[in-house]
Amino acid sequence: MPNPDPTTPPPVPAAPAAPANDAAARLATERLVHQLGNAGLIPFVGLALLMWLVNAEALPYVSLLLVSYAALIVSFLGGVHWGVVWHRHSGHSGAPAMCTSEARRHLVWGITPSLLAWPGLLMPEPAALPWLGAVLLVCYAVDRKLFASAGLGHWLTLRFRLSSVAALSCFIAAGAV
């Protein structure tokens, strides 16, 4: 039957159910998430260390690299929340759609990290690095509540480690400027 309202998209057909024996696939995906997350710390740690090793002439360039990377990662953390809402409302996850107020919390918070990171790109590095380190910690604190309510609490241990190392790298790097 044709959709009577052309402004309303047609319903998305449900994805086929995953086989019951997909534990190996889940484990492989979880391992990849951990590997990529840990790899994402390499620029944080490497650039923070490099800031203590380079000469004064190179320091502004290295600090700009770290500030830019930290701001990009903070923005990425917000985008995760849009993905959570889209996934839950797609009908593919098997989980019920979020209530409007929960979806609104995720969507509004989803743009907030980018807005918080933006000033860090405009600040001088001695202020930007601690600012972005603090924003990384704030993102984790908010995600602790929002991830748990979305059924994603099992990712919080990884998020804690990644956010802690990233924020600590920003704080350590700020001491070199």
Side-chain angles (χ1 to χ4, degrees), residues 73-116:
I73 294 301
V74 167
S75 292
F76 171 81
L77 295 175
V80 169
H81 291 275
W82 281 62
V84 168
V85 173
W86 285 349
H87 182 68
R88 290 284 295 274
H89 285 270
S90 70
H92 295 298
S93 66
M98 292 179 165
C99 68
T100 304
S101 63
E102 185 179 3
R104 183 178 296 120
R105 279 192 296 274
H106 279 277
L107 293 172
V108 169
W109 173 250
I111 63 167
T112 304
S114 296
L115 296 174
L116 292 173

mmCIF file of all heavy atoms in Angstrom, residues 73-116:
data_model
loop_
_atom_site.group_PDB
_atom_site.id
_atom_site.type_symbol
_atom_site.label_atom_id
_atom_site.label_comp_id
_atom_site.label_asym_id
_atom_site.label_seq_id
_atom_site.Cartn_x
_atom_site.Cartn_y
_atom_site.Cartn_z
ATOM 1 N N ILE A 73 38.383 14.674 18.961
ATOM 2 C CA ILE A 73 37.926 13.519 19.738
ATOM 3 C C ILE A 73 36.731 13.903 20.607
ATOM 4 O O ILE A 73 35.764 13.141 20.722
ATOM 5 C CB ILE A 73 39.076 12.930 20.583
ATOM 6 C CG1 ILE A 73 40.150 12.335 19.665
ATOM 7 C CG2 ILE A 73 38.564 11.893 21.574
ATOM 8 C CD1 ILE A 73 39.671 11.225 18.738
ATOM 9 N N VAL A 74 36.767 15.080 21.214
ATOM 10 C CA VAL A 74 35.623 15.536 22.015
ATOM 11 C C VAL A 74 34.376 15.603 21.138
ATOM 12 O O VAL A 74 33.296 15.158 21.542
ATOM 13 C CB VAL A 74 35.924 16.895 22.682
ATOM 14 C CG1 VAL A 74 34.663 17.528 23.246
ATOM 15 C CG2 VAL A 74 36.971 16.732 23.782
ATOM 16 N N SER A 75 34.510 16.122 19.930
ATOM 17 C CA SER A 75 33.355 16.187 19.015
ATOM 18 C C SER A 75 32.848 14.793 18.672
ATOM 19 O O SER A 75 31.637 14.564 18.600
ATOM 20 C CB SER A 75 33.729 16.932 17.738
ATOM 21 O OG SER A 75 33.961 18.284 18.034
ATOM 22 N N PHE A 76 33.765 13.868 18.459
ATOM 23 C CA PHE A 76 33.391 12.482 18.182
ATOM 24 C C PHE A 76 32.559 11.907 19.332
ATOM 25 O O PHE A 76 31.577 11.193 19.100
ATOM 26 C CB PHE A 76 34.655 11.646 17.964
ATOM 27 C CG PHE A 76 34.411 10.170 17.893
ATOM 28 C CD1 PHE A 76 33.960 9.582 16.725
ATOM 29 C CD2 PHE A 76 34.619 9.365 19.000
ATOM 30 C CE1 PHE A 76 33.732 8.214 16.655
ATOM 31 C CE2 PHE A 76 34.395 8.001 18.945
ATOM 32 C CZ PHE A 76 33.947 7.427 17.774
ATOM 33 N N LEU A 77 32.935 12.207 20.557
ATOM 34 C CA LEU A 77 32.207 11.674 21.717
ATOM 35 C C LEU A 77 30.755 12.124 21.725
ATOM 36 O O LEU A 77 29.867 11.378 22.134
ATOM 37 C CB LEU A 77 32.893 12.093 23.022
ATOM 38 C CG LEU A 77 34.294 11.520 23.239
ATOM 39 C CD1 LEU A 77 34.910 12.101 24.510
ATOM 40 C CD2 LEU A 77 34.266 10.006 23.285
ATOM 41 N N GLY A 78 30.495 13.321 21.258
ATOM 42 C CA GLY A 78 29.111 13.777 21.161
ATOM 43 C C GLY A 78 28.347 13.050 20.081
ATOM 44 O O GLY A 78 27.174 12.692 20.251
ATOM 45 N N GLY A 79 29.006 12.786 18.962
ATOM 46 C CA GLY A 79 28.345 12.119 17.852
ATOM 47 C C GLY A 79 27.862 10.722 18.191
ATOM 48 O O GLY A 79 26.895 10.225 17.598
ATOM 49 N N VAL A 80 28.524 10.092 19.147
ATOM 50 C CA VAL A 80 28.117 8.747 19.563
ATOM 51 C C VAL A 80 26.654 8.755 20.011
ATOM 52 O O VAL A 80 25.899 7.820 19.731
ATOM 53 C CB VAL A 80 29.041 8.229 20.693
ATOM 54 C CG1 VAL A 80 28.489 6.970 21.330
ATOM 55 C CG2 VAL A 80 30.443 7.996 20.153
ATOM 56 N N HIS A 81 26.234 9.811 20.660
ATOM 57 C CA HIS A 81 24.865 9.873 21.185
ATOM 58 C C HIS A 81 23.827 9.937 20.068
ATOM 59 O O HIS A 81 22.737 9.395 20.210
ATOM 60 C CB HIS A 81 24.727 11.040 22.158
ATOM 61 C CG HIS A 81 25.495 10.792 23.403
ATOM 62 N ND1 HIS A 81 24.979 10.071 24.444
ATOM 63 C CD2 HIS A 81 26.762 11.096 23.747
ATOM 64 C CE1 HIS A 81 25.894 9.969 25.397
ATOM 65 N NE2 HIS A 81 26.989 10.583 24.981
ATOM 66 N N TRP A 82 24.147 10.602 18.979
ATOM 67 C CA TRP A 82 23.229 10.606 17.840
ATOM 68 C C TRP A 82 23.108 9.196 17.292
ATOM 69 O O TRP A 82 22.021 8.744 16.931
ATOM 70 C CB TRP A 82 23.726 11.585 16.770
ATOM 71 C CG TRP A 82 23.403 12.996 17.126
ATOM 72 C CD1 TRP A 82 23.850 13.698 18.215
ATOM 73 C CD2 TRP A 82 22.537 13.864 16.425
ATOM 74 N NE1 TRP A 82 23.333 14.952 18.222
ATOM 75 C CE2 TRP A 82 22.522 15.087 17.125
ATOM 76 C CE3 TRP A 82 21.788 13.737 15.270
ATOM 77 C CZ2 TRP A 82 21.770 16.173 16.700
ATOM 78 C CZ3 TRP A 82 21.049 14.827 14.845
ATOM 79 C CH2 TRP A 82 21.037 16.023 15.559
ATOM 80 N N GLY A 83 24.231 8.484 17.225
ATOM 81 C CA GLY A 83 24.201 7.101 16.758
ATOM 82 C C GLY A 83 23.360 6.208 17.642
ATOM 83 O O GLY A 83 22.644 5.321 17.153
ATOM 84 N N VAL A 84 23.430 6.430 18.949
ATOM 85 C CA VAL A 84 22.626 5.642 19.891
ATOM 86 C C VAL A 84 21.140 5.842 19.601
ATOM 87 O O VAL A 84 20.379 4.879 19.514
ATOM 88 C CB VAL A 84 22.949 6.022 21.353
ATOM 89 C CG1 VAL A 84 21.938 5.450 22.318
ATOM 90 C CG2 VAL A 84 24.356 5.569 21.723
ATOM 91 N N VAL A 85 20.728 7.080 19.420
ATOM 92 C CA VAL A 85 19.311 7.373 19.151
ATOM 93 C C VAL A 85 18.896 6.782 17.807
ATOM 94 O O VAL A 85 17.853 6.133 17.697
ATOM 95 C CB VAL A 85 19.029 8.887 19.202
ATOM 96 C CG1 VAL A 85 17.608 9.204 18.745
ATOM 97 C CG2 VAL A 85 19.277 9.421 20.603
ATOM 98 N N TRP A 86 19.705 6.981 16.782
ATOM 99 C CA TRP A 86 19.361 6.442 15.467
ATOM 100 C C TRP A 86 19.246 4.928 15.521
ATOM 101 O O TRP A 86 18.339 4.347 14.931
ATOM 102 C CB TRP A 86 20.394 6.850 14.433
ATOM 103 C CG TRP A 86 20.294 8.280 13.993
ATOM 104 C CD1 TRP A 86 19.286 9.155 14.263
ATOM 105 C CD2 TRP A 86 21.238 8.998 13.218
ATOM 106 N NE1 TRP A 86 19.550 10.380 13.709
ATOM 107 C CE2 TRP A 86 20.747 10.312 13.058
ATOM 108 C CE3 TRP A 86 22.459 8.676 12.654
ATOM 109 C CZ2 TRP A 86 21.423 11.277 12.341
ATOM 110 C CZ3 TRP A 86 23.129 9.648 11.940
ATOM 111 C CH2 TRP A 86 22.613 10.931 11.788
ATOM 112 N N HIS A 87 20.177 4.295 16.211
ATOM 113 C CA HIS A 87 20.147 2.833 16.298
ATOM 114 C C HIS A 87 18.887 2.353 17.013
ATOM 115 O O HIS A 87 18.223 1.429 16.561
ATOM 116 C CB HIS A 87 21.399 2.343 17.021
ATOM 117 C CG HIS A 87 21.483 0.857 17.126
ATOM 118 N ND1 HIS A 87 21.671 0.043 16.023
ATOM 119 C CD2 HIS A 87 21.394 0.033 18.184
ATOM 120 C CE1 HIS A 87 21.698 -1.211 16.410
ATOM 121 N NE2 HIS A 87 21.532 -1.250 17.712
ATOM 122 N N ARG A 88 18.563 2.983 18.114
ATOM 123 C CA ARG A 88 17.397 2.559 18.885
ATOM 124 C C ARG A 88 16.090 2.832 18.148
ATOM 125 O O ARG A 88 15.110 2.123 18.330
ATOM 126 C CB ARG A 88 17.376 3.267 20.248
ATOM 127 C CG ARG A 88 18.460 2.818 21.206
ATOM 128 C CD ARG A 88 18.169 1.463 21.838
ATOM 129 N NE ARG A 88 17.012 1.461 22.680
ATOM 130 C CZ ARG A 88 17.002 1.798 23.970
ATOM 131 N NH1 ARG A 88 18.107 2.146 24.571
ATOM 132 N NH2 ARG A 88 15.881 1.768 24.651
ATOM 133 N N HIS A 89 16.073 3.842 17.308
ATOM 134 C CA HIS A 89 14.839 4.178 16.587
ATOM 135 C C HIS A 89 14.764 3.544 15.199
ATOM 136 O O HIS A 89 13.759 3.692 14.517
ATOM 137 C CB HIS A 89 14.675 5.703 16.488
ATOM 138 C CG HIS A 89 14.239 6.307 17.781
ATOM 139 N ND1 HIS A 89 12.931 6.470 18.123
ATOM 140 C CD2 HIS A 89 14.961 6.739 18.847
ATOM 141 C CE1 HIS A 89 12.846 6.993 19.326
ATOM 142 N NE2 HIS A 89 14.070 7.165 19.787
ATOM 143 N N SER A 90 15.791 2.823 14.803
ATOM 144 C CA SER A 90 15.796 2.219 13.471
ATOM 145 C C SER A 90 14.959 0.947 13.406
ATOM 146 O O SER A 90 14.577 0.510 12.335
ATOM 147 C CB SER A 90 17.228 1.884 13.049
ATOM 148 O OG SER A 90 17.724 0.798 13.828
ATOM 149 N N GLY A 91 14.720 0.343 14.552
ATOM 150 C CA GLY A 91 13.996 -0.913 14.576
ATOM 151 C C GLY A 91 14.895 -2.115 14.364
ATOM 152 O O GLY A 91 14.461 -3.244 14.480
ATOM 153 N N HIS A 92 16.172 -1.897 14.068
ATOM 154 C CA HIS A 92 17.098 -2.996 13.792
ATOM 155 C C HIS A 92 17.706 -3.595 15.053
ATOM 156 O O HIS A 92 18.182 -4.724 15.023
ATOM 157 C CB HIS A 92 18.241 -2.532 12.888
ATOM 158 C CG HIS A 92 17.781 -2.124 11.529
ATOM 159 N ND1 HIS A 92 17.170 -2.990 10.653
ATOM 160 C CD2 HIS A 92 17.832 -0.930 10.896
ATOM 161 C CE1 HIS A 92 16.867 -2.355 9.542
ATOM 162 N NE2 HIS A 92 17.251 -1.102 9.663
ATOM 163 N N SER A 93 17.739 -2.852 16.131
ATOM 164 C CA SER A 93 18.480 -3.312 17.306
ATOM 165 C C SER A 93 17.731 -4.347 18.129
ATOM 166 O O SER A 93 18.324 -5.022 18.955
ATOM 167 C CB SER A 93 18.819 -2.119 18.209
ATOM 168 O OG SER A 93 17.634 -1.570 18.747
ATOM 169 N N GLY A 94 16.444 -4.456 17.928
ATOM 170 C CA GLY A 94 15.656 -5.357 18.763
ATOM 171 C C GLY A 94 15.295 -4.718 20.094
ATOM 172 O O GLY A 94 14.454 -5.222 20.818
ATOM 173 N N ALA A 95 15.939 -3.619 20.414
ATOM 174 C CA ALA A 95 15.620 -2.894 21.640
ATOM 175 C C ALA A 95 14.482 -1.920 21.349
ATOM 176 O O ALA A 95 14.345 -1.440 20.226
ATOM 177 C CB ALA A 95 16.842 -2.122 22.145
ATOM 178 N N PRO A 96 13.670 -1.637 22.338
ATOM 179 C CA PRO A 96 12.580 -0.677 22.102
ATOM 180 C C PRO A 96 13.141 0.719 21.849
ATOM 181 O O PRO A 96 14.228 1.047 22.307
ATOM 182 C CB PRO A 96 11.781 -0.725 23.406
ATOM 183 C CG PRO A 96 12.737 -1.224 24.437
ATOM 184 C CD PRO A 96 13.694 -2.122 23.716
ATOM 185 N N ALA A 97 12.407 1.497 21.090
ATOM 186 C CA ALA A 97 12.805 2.880 20.842
ATOM 187 C C ALA A 97 12.851 3.635 22.168
ATOM 188 O O ALA A 97 12.152 3.294 23.117
ATOM 189 C CB ALA A 97 11.823 3.545 19.885
ATOM 190 N N MET A 98 13.700 4.644 22.221
ATOM 191 C CA MET A 98 13.801 5.466 23.429
ATOM 192 C C MET A 98 12.563 6.339 23.555
ATOM 193 O O MET A 98 11.971 6.729 22.551
ATOM 194 C CB MET A 98 15.011 6.396 23.337
ATOM 195 C CG MET A 98 16.319 5.732 23.372
ATOM 196 S SD MET A 98 17.599 7.000 23.211
ATOM 197 C CE MET A 98 18.983 6.045 23.732
ATOM 198 N N CYS A 99 12.229 6.658 24.788
ATOM 199 C CA CYS A 99 11.159 7.635 24.978
ATOM 200 C C CYS A 99 11.680 8.991 24.497
ATOM 201 O O CYS A 99 12.885 9.208 24.379
ATOM 202 C CB CYS A 99 10.716 7.683 26.437
ATOM 203 S SG CYS A 99 11.948 8.339 27.563
ATOM 204 N N THR A 100 10.785 9.883 24.206
ATOM 205 C CA THR A 100 11.153 11.175 23.640
ATOM 206 C C THR A 100 12.111 11.942 24.540
ATOM 207 O O THR A 100 13.075 12.532 24.066
ATOM 208 C CB THR A 100 9.885 12.015 23.375
ATOM 209 O OG1 THR A 100 9.025 11.264 22.520
ATOM 210 C CG2 THR A 100 10.226 13.336 22.732
ATOM 211 N N SER A 101 11.877 11.934 25.846
ATOM 212 C CA SER A 101 12.749 12.705 26.737
ATOM 213 C C SER A 101 14.158 12.122 26.783
ATOM 214 O O SER A 101 15.139 12.868 26.808
ATOM 215 C CB SER A 101 12.150 12.778 28.145
ATOM 216 O OG SER A 101 12.059 11.492 28.720
ATOM 217 N N GLU A 102 14.282 10.788 26.740
ATOM 218 C CA GLU A 102 15.616 10.188 26.739
ATOM 219 C C GLU A 102 16.324 10.470 25.419
ATOM 220 O O GLU A 102 17.513 10.808 25.402
ATOM 221 C CB GLU A 102 15.537 8.679 26.986
ATOM 222 C CG GLU A 102 16.903 8.037 27.111
ATOM 223 C CD GLU A 102 16.844 6.544 27.392
ATOM 224 O OE1 GLU A 102 15.743 5.962 27.447
ATOM 225 O OE2 GLU A 102 17.928 5.960 27.545
ATOM 226 N N ALA A 103 15.611 10.359 24.320
ATOM 227 C CA ALA A 103 16.205 10.665 23.012
ATOM 228 C C ALA A 103 16.641 12.124 22.971
ATOM 229 O O ALA A 103 17.730 12.437 22.480
ATOM 230 C CB ALA A 103 15.206 10.373 21.898
ATOM 231 N N ARG A 104 15.825 13.017 23.503
ATOM 232 C CA ARG A 104 16.166 14.441 23.529
ATOM 233 C C ARG A 104 17.437 14.677 24.335
ATOM 234 O O ARG A 104 18.313 15.442 23.918
ATOM 235 C CB ARG A 104 15.014 15.266 24.111
ATOM 236 C CG ARG A 104 15.298 16.763 24.092
ATOM 237 C CD ARG A 104 14.145 17.601 24.616
ATOM 238 N NE ARG A 104 12.990 17.448 23.745
ATOM 239 C CZ ARG A 104 11.805 16.979 24.148
ATOM 240 N NH1 ARG A 104 11.612 16.620 25.398
ATOM 241 N NH2 ARG A 104 10.802 16.880 23.309
ATOM 242 N N ARG A 105 17.577 13.993 25.481
ATOM 243 C CA ARG A 105 18.797 14.149 26.298
ATOM 244 C C ARG A 105 20.032 13.733 25.493
ATOM 245 O O ARG A 105 21.050 14.419 25.507
ATOM 246 C CB ARG A 105 18.708 13.331 27.579
ATOM 247 C CG ARG A 105 17.918 13.996 28.683
ATOM 248 C CD ARG A 105 18.090 13.289 30.007
ATOM 249 N NE ARG A 105 17.567 11.930 30.008
ATOM 250 C CZ ARG A 105 16.312 11.600 30.261
ATOM 251 N NH1 ARG A 105 15.441 12.537 30.550
ATOM 252 N NH2 ARG A 105 15.924 10.343 30.239
ATOM 253 N N HIS A 106 19.938 12.611 24.795
ATOM 254 C CA HIS A 106 21.070 12.147 23.989
ATOM 255 C C HIS A 106 21.372 13.112 22.838
ATOM 256 O O HIS A 106 22.540 13.414 22.574
ATOM 257 C CB HIS A 106 20.797 10.748 23.423
ATOM 258 C CG HIS A 106 21.056 9.655 24.396
ATOM 259 N ND1 HIS A 106 22.308 9.138 24.609
ATOM 260 C CD2 HIS A 106 20.224 8.974 25.220
ATOM 261 C CE1 HIS A 106 22.243 8.180 25.517
ATOM 262 N NE2 HIS A 106 20.982 8.059 25.902
ATOM 263 N N LEU A 107 20.338 13.570 22.151
ATOM 264 C CA LEU A 107 20.558 14.447 20.999
ATOM 265 C C LEU A 107 21.112 15.803 21.412
ATOM 266 O O LEU A 107 22.040 16.323 20.781
ATOM 267 C CB LEU A 107 19.258 14.599 20.204
ATOM 268 C CG LEU A 107 18.776 13.319 19.514
ATOM 269 C CD1 LEU A 107 17.388 13.526 18.929
ATOM 270 C CD2 LEU A 107 19.755 12.870 18.448
ATOM 271 N N VAL A 108 20.569 16.375 22.480
ATOM 272 C CA VAL A 108 21.067 17.678 22.944
ATOM 273 C C VAL A 108 22.492 17.528 23.470
ATOM 274 O O VAL A 108 23.372 18.332 23.141
ATOM 275 C CB VAL A 108 20.129 18.289 24.008
ATOM 276 C CG1 VAL A 108 20.759 19.493 24.676
ATOM 277 C CG2 VAL A 108 18.796 18.671 23.368
ATOM 278 N N TRP A 109 22.740 16.487 24.271
ATOM 279 C CA TRP A 109 24.102 16.289 24.749
ATOM 280 C C TRP A 109 25.029 16.011 23.563
ATOM 281 O O TRP A 109 26.192 16.416 23.567
ATOM 282 C CB TRP A 109 24.204 15.166 25.780
ATOM 283 C CG TRP A 109 25.649 14.908 26.099
ATOM 284 C CD1 TRP A 109 26.388 13.823 25.758
ATOM 285 C CD2 TRP A 109 26.540 15.795 26.776
ATOM 286 N NE1 TRP A 109 27.686 13.973 26.180
ATOM 287 C CE2 TRP A 109 27.810 15.178 26.808
ATOM 288 C CE3 TRP A 109 26.394 17.064 27.355
ATOM 289 C CZ2 TRP A 109 28.922 15.785 27.397
ATOM 290 C CZ3 TRP A 109 27.503 17.651 27.938
ATOM 291 C CH2 TRP A 109 28.742 17.018 27.956
ATOM 292 N N GLY A 110 24.534 15.371 22.528
ATOM 293 C CA GLY A 110 25.351 15.026 21.373
ATOM 294 C C GLY A 110 25.991 16.225 20.694
ATOM 295 O O GLY A 110 27.064 16.113 20.114
ATOM 296 N N ILE A 111 25.362 17.385 20.747
ATOM 297 C CA ILE A 111 25.969 18.590 20.152
ATOM 298 C C ILE A 111 26.795 19.382 21.165
ATOM 299 O O ILE A 111 27.624 20.191 20.789
ATOM 300 C CB ILE A 111 24.904 19.507 19.510
ATOM 301 C CG1 ILE A 111 23.927 20.040 20.548
ATOM 302 C CG2 ILE A 111 24.195 18.787 18.382
ATOM 303 C CD1 ILE A 111 23.062 21.178 20.043
ATOM 304 N N THR A 112 26.588 19.117 22.438
ATOM 305 C CA THR A 112 27.262 19.895 23.478
ATOM 306 C C THR A 112 28.779 19.727 23.483
ATOM 307 O O THR A 112 29.496 20.731 23.598
ATOM 308 C CB THR A 112 26.649 19.565 24.856
ATOM 309 O OG1 THR A 112 25.241 19.811 24.792
ATOM 310 C CG2 THR A 112 27.269 20.394 25.951
ATOM 311 N N PRO A 113 29.336 18.510 23.358
ATOM 312 C CA PRO A 113 30.796 18.410 23.358
ATOM 313 C C PRO A 113 31.465 19.239 22.254
ATOM 314 O O PRO A 113 32.505 19.864 22.490
ATOM 315 C CB PRO A 113 31.053 16.911 23.175
ATOM 316 C CG PRO A 113 29.861 16.268 23.780
ATOM 317 C CD PRO A 113 28.715 17.177 23.403
ATOM 318 N N SER A 114 30.871 19.278 21.068
ATOM 319 C CA SER A 114 31.453 20.101 19.994
ATOM 320 C C SER A 114 31.454 21.570 20.380
ATOM 321 O O SER A 114 32.424 22.289 20.124
ATOM 322 C CB SER A 114 30.654 19.924 18.695
ATOM 323 O OG SER A 114 30.750 18.610 18.241
ATOM 324 N N LEU A 115 30.363 22.005 20.999
ATOM 325 C CA LEU A 115 30.286 23.407 21.412
ATOM 326 C C LEU A 115 31.277 23.721 22.528
ATOM 327 O O LEU A 115 31.796 24.836 22.611
ATOM 328 C CB LEU A 115 28.852 23.744 21.855
ATOM 329 C CG LEU A 115 27.802 23.651 20.751
ATOM 330 C CD1 LEU A 115 26.403 23.861 21.326
ATOM 331 C CD2 LEU A 115 28.097 24.656 19.639
ATOM 332 N N LEU A 116 31.546 22.725 23.383
ATOM 333 C CA LEU A 116 32.537 22.921 24.443
ATOM 334 C C LEU A 116 33.967 22.864 23.907
ATOM 335 O O LEU A 116 34.866 23.516 24.447
ATOM 336 C CB LEU A 116 32.346 21.866 25.539
ATOM 337 C CG LEU A 116 31.066 21.968 26.357
ATOM 338 C CD1 LEU A 116 30.925 20.768 27.285
ATOM 339 C CD2 LEU A 116 31.028 23.275 27.138
#
